[in-house]
Amino acid sequence: MFRKNKFQKLKEDLIEKLLFLFSLVSIFVTVGIVAVLSFETFAFFKEVSLLEFFTDTQWTPLFVRKHFGILPLLCGTLLTTLIAMLIAFPAGLISAAYLSEYASEKARGIIKPIMEILAAVPTVVYGYFALLFVTPLLKKCIPGMSGFNSLSSGLVMGIMIIPLISSLSEDAFHAVPMGLREAGYALGSSRLQVSLRIVLPAAFSGVCAACVLAISRAVGETMIVAIAAGQQPRLTFNPLVPIETITAYIVQVSLGDTPHGSLEYRTIFACGMFLFVMTYFLNIVSYKLRKHFQQVYE
Amino acid sequence: MNNVAFNITRMRASYGNKEVLKGITITILPNSVTALIGPSGCGKSTFIRSLNRINDLIPSFRISGDILYRQKDIYDQETDVVELRRRIGMVFQKPNPFPKSIYENIAYGLRIHGFTIKETLDEIVEASLKKAALWDEVKDNLKQNALTLSGGQQQRLCIARTLATQPEALLFDEPCSALDPISTAKIEELIHHLKKSYTIIIVTHNMQQAARVSDYSGFFLLGELVEFGKTQDMFTAPKDKRTEDYITGRFG
């Protein structure tokens, strides 16, 4: 009496299989990407030694005198990331603290959607914003600055990342039990003391997770730096001159006329692999931190 | 009227449109334990949470009436809430130690009030833990995270933390509801000791507890204070029928 008819069972099985297949798609894609990356990277390192890759201070694969040192590109990536984080960490954390501990319901209702719009702007728009608005503006204050530089792209990237840090940190603040705040207030704390000395430390690993994720996002960011930071791999921490990041280099080569299968062509896979390992590592750190944070409050 | 701690007349409180206290008038004497009993939702927690203005954190909370502590209006515009809360300490229903070390939990309240000398901090931390009958259990592990303590120990730590800032009055909002009977007994004993130096108000669901620890009792029902008087009188000869029904277990 309670037995399903055959057709129904078949239908349910079919649906399950279908859903399973779709979930496999993303796994296949990931495996495919890693496979292609590894294959081409392996081919690259057959011709260029790891030692050269990590210690040479020049990156000139497209020139006659070829050098394959990742350091200048890495330096460019780190420099833009550093500038971006100098903006995004404080601004993101302060806005998260404001939204979670100070803002009235009404203020939150207005500010949060605006922040979300900031996160929804395409990065190419940010790129041109950096190149055509921020750079000329900065040039007025710093006359010696070049048209392409890491400062303006870093600044704009920082602005772009504020909502990410803000929203993730706010979640972490929000997860701090109300009881801790009450305990703080009951002992005679001011609002600032509760925010800085109770809520922030309690949410610390969650906030760290947000920041690490933001770094990973900045390291992998492409359009802004490709448009506004220049295309000159350079081992420098001077923010006023053109540089090139790892991602910008990949764009440069893949848009150019480098023949497939050549060593020059393979450089982008080596760079891609390097980038992948870096962001993957950062994401794992972020994940672990978040896990740790969740364990504390269960 | 110098010898009065809290003097409250016609206190009304509401959350949004929902009125939860409908004119409470009560006088609380210093160095006594006053227990507030009543069924869930009767307003006793709202009442006690109004005395240190911790309910100010709830945006929809409104309050009116004369609410005096030591002849001063708690809800006056000029009231320094930080100082008020330091003088009127509170222990909550669920133990809520900070996720810091045992030592830092107690030192926190001192630090925010400007104590920085290490010797003074050490001294007060030890004294507070002793007063809260926790010192012997934790004296060798002061650096340990407070969250590793048992529930009963955490609650005594919260009491020690409150005592450290040298309050005059202590508000206990169902301090034992999350604890086992042995921990409960320890806290009750502690309250009994603390009475000598503090004015204590305790909200409890447990009538035996009220009978055991308090000198005065108040019975709350639907936002009103039905009966208030000496605990002994109230539990042996309640004046109001509703009180009698409640304490004999006929409802609630």
Side-chain angles (χ1 to χ4, degrees):
Chain A
M1 196 179 166
F2 293 115
R3 195 174 279 168
K4 287 177 191 165
N5 65 39
K6 265 204 174 132
F7 175 70
Q8 214 175 355
K9 186 161 162 32
L10 201 72
K11 204 172 92 181
E12 275 177 24
D13 282 355
L14 200 72
I15 290 174
E16 195 195 319
K17 295 262 151 57
L18 210 68
L19 294 179
F20 177 67
L21 266 179
F22 274 105
S23 70
L24 276 189
V25 169
S26 69
I27 296 179
F28 277 134
V29 171
T30 313
V31 170
I33 289 176
V34 173
V36 171
L37 268 183
S38 311
F39 182 75
E40 297 282 353
T41 307
F42 188 70
F44 174 80
F45 281 115
K46 266 203 273 193
E47 290 180 58
V48 177
S49 75
L50 271 171
L51 187 73
E52 187 188 347
F53 188 69
F54 284 113
T55 55
D56 198 327
T57 55
Q58 286 181 55
W59 179 260
T60 54
L62 306 177
F63 293 1
V64 181
R65 289 176 60 104
K66 292 188 192 328
H67 284 276
F68 298 97
I70 190 88
L71 288 178
L73 294 183
L74 179 62
C75 179
T77 294
L78 292 182
L79 182 58
T80 48
T81 303
L82 181 76
I83 296 168
M85 292 306 124
L86 286 178
I87 300 290
F89 281 175
L93 278 179
I94 290 169
S95 76
Y98 170 73
L99 287 174
S100 140
E101 306 300 313
Y102 284 80
S104 64
E105 280 297 312
K106 213 172 138 194
R108 269 173 64 104
I110 297 168
I111 295 168
K112 277 210 93 169
I114 295 178
M115 293 273 255
E116 273 149 26
I117 292 174
L118 203 59
V121 175
T123 55
V124 64
V125 176
Y126 279 112
Y128 281 103
F129 177 68
L131 183 67
L132 304 175
F133 181 77
V134 178
T135 301
L137 201 70
L138 286 173
K139 264 189 166 171
K140 283 187 188 142
C141 319
I142 316 167
M145 199 164 116
S146 13
F148 294 103
N149 59 75
S150 48
L151 183 60
S152 72
S153 43
L155 289 180
V156 171
M157 196 149 88
I159 294 170
M160 179 189 79
I161 289 172
I162 291 172
L164 177 78
I165 296 193
S166 168
S167 135
L168 288 175
S169 312
E170 200 210 332
D171 289 347
F173 288 159
H174 202 77
V176 173
M178 195 58 198
L180 287 188
R181 292 189 184 86
E182 287 185 340
Y185 286 117
L187 288 169
S189 313
S190 66
R191 215 175 253 261
L192 189 67
Q193 283 166 336
V194 168
S195 309
L196 291 183
R197 302 175 80 150
I198 295 172
V199 178
L200 184 63
F204 192 67
S205 51
V207 170
C208 284
C211 291
V212 173
L213 209 62
I215 294 175
S216 158
R217 176 93 167 76
V219 166
E221 170 50 37
T222 309
M223 279 322 277
I224 298 176
V225 284
I227 292 168
Q231 297 191 331
Q232 297 177 22
R234 206 190 285 241
L235 194 57
T236 177
F237 273 100
N238 177 358
L240 305 178
V241 295
I243 48 103
E244 185 162 45
T245 65
I246 303 174
T247 49
Y249 172 75
I250 295 174
V251 172
Q252 184 194 353
V253 172
S254 41
L255 291 181
D257 45 12
T258 317
H260 277 229
S262 65
L263 181 61
E264 294 87 334
Y265 174 75
R266 286 198 175 117
T267 54
I268 64 174
F269 289 96
C271 286
M273 190 66 177
F274 186 64
L275 205 60
F276 174 74
V277 171
M278 236 166 114
T279 49
Y280 184 70
F281 174 74
L282 286 170
N283 286 7
I284 292 205
V285 169
S286 168
Y287 176 77
K288 288 260 148 90
L289 283 168
R290 231 176 350 211
K291 258 290 204 295
H292 174 76
F293 174 67
Q294 280 164 354
Q295 269 168 9
V296 178
Y297 304 105
E298 252 167 21
Chain B
M1 291 289 277
N2 252 336
N3 203 19
V4 168
F6 291 95
N7 198 356
I8 292 156
T9 359
R10 294 180 304 277
M11 177 198 220
R12 289 178 169 276
S14 57
Y15 300 107
N17 293 326
K18 191 167 172 283
E19 194 174 49
V20 285
L21 291 176
K22 302 167 182 171
I24 304 292
T25 298
I26 193 170
T27 302
I28 285 162
L29 301 177
N31 297 70
S32 68
V33 178
T34 305
L36 305 177
I37 56 170
S40 297
C42 66
K44 56 195 190 306
S45 270
T46 302
F47 173 80
I48 198 172
R49 286 167 60 91
S50 300
L51 299 182
N52 67 345
R53 289 187 58 171
I54 203 80
N55 262 347
D56 288 14
L57 301 179
I58 299 163
S60 63
F61 180 70
R62 297 283 173 276
I63 190 161
S64 67
D66 294 330
I67 300 139
L68 306 182
Y69 174 69
R70 297 281 178 191
Q71 315 301 323
K72 292 222 179 67
D73 186 354
I74 292 175
Y75 282 86
D76 192 279
Q77 295 261 315
E78 304 285 300
T79 300
D80 178 0
V81 182
V82 165
E83 178 60 13
L84 173 83
R85 289 182 185 148
R86 190 195 63 72
R87 289 173 63 182
I88 305 175
M90 181 166 222
V91 175
F92 297 85
Q93 192 168 349
K94 203 167 156 248
N96 52 2
F98 302 128
K100 304 172 192 258
S101 70
I102 294 171
Y103 183 94
E104 280 307 319
N105 257 279
I106 297 172
Y108 171 84
L110 299 163
R111 289 191 206 277
I112 59 167
H113 292 113
F115 289 80
T116 49
I117 304 159
K118 192 175 176 305
E119 285 74 28
T120 324
L121 287 177
D122 287 351
E123 227 168 80
I124 302 180
V125 167
E126 182 175 339
S128 310
L129 282 170
K130 277 181 176 157
K131 275 190 224 164
L134 189 61
W135 175 251
D136 290 333
E137 290 161 58
V138 301
K139 66 182 172 204
D140 300 322
N141 310 312
L142 292 177
K143 295 267 173 288
Q144 195 185 319
N145 192 311
L147 295 174
T148 59
L149 296 174
S150 74
Q153 288 174 323
Q154 287 188 10
Q155 194 63 302
R156 275 179 285 150
L157 178 67
C158 292
I159 295 174
R161 178 175 71 185
T162 307
L163 296 179
T165 53
Q166 276 139 15
E168 300 154 14
L170 295 172
L171 310 173
F172 289 87
D173 187 2
E174 293 186 41
C176 302
S177 65
L179 304 183
D180 63 80
I182 295 170
S183 305
T184 301
K186 281 190 180 154
I187 302 236
E188 284 180 10
E189 196 184 307
L190 185 59
I191 290 173
H192 197 74
H193 279 293
L194 292 173
K195 182 170 84 167
K196 293 182 201 110
S197 350
Y198 304 91
T199 305
I200 294 173
I201 304 179
I202 175 171
V203 163
T204 176
H205 256 119
N206 180 332
M207 278 172 289
Q208 284 78 29
Q209 183 169 68
R212 284 192 298 261
V213 300
S214 69
D215 306 306
Y216 300 91
S217 289
F219 172 55
F220 277 71
L221 187 64
L222 301 171
E224 285 174 54
L225 182 64
V226 173
E227 186 165 344
F228 179 68
K230 284 216 160 95
T231 299
Q232 213 179 353
D233 299 345
M234 191 158 120
F235 278 88
T236 50
K239 292 189 202 78
D240 196 289
K241 179 79 173 62
R242 289 169 293 176
T243 315
E244 190 183 340
D245 286 350
Y246 185 70
I247 59 180
T248 53
R250 241 165 274 171
F251 77 92

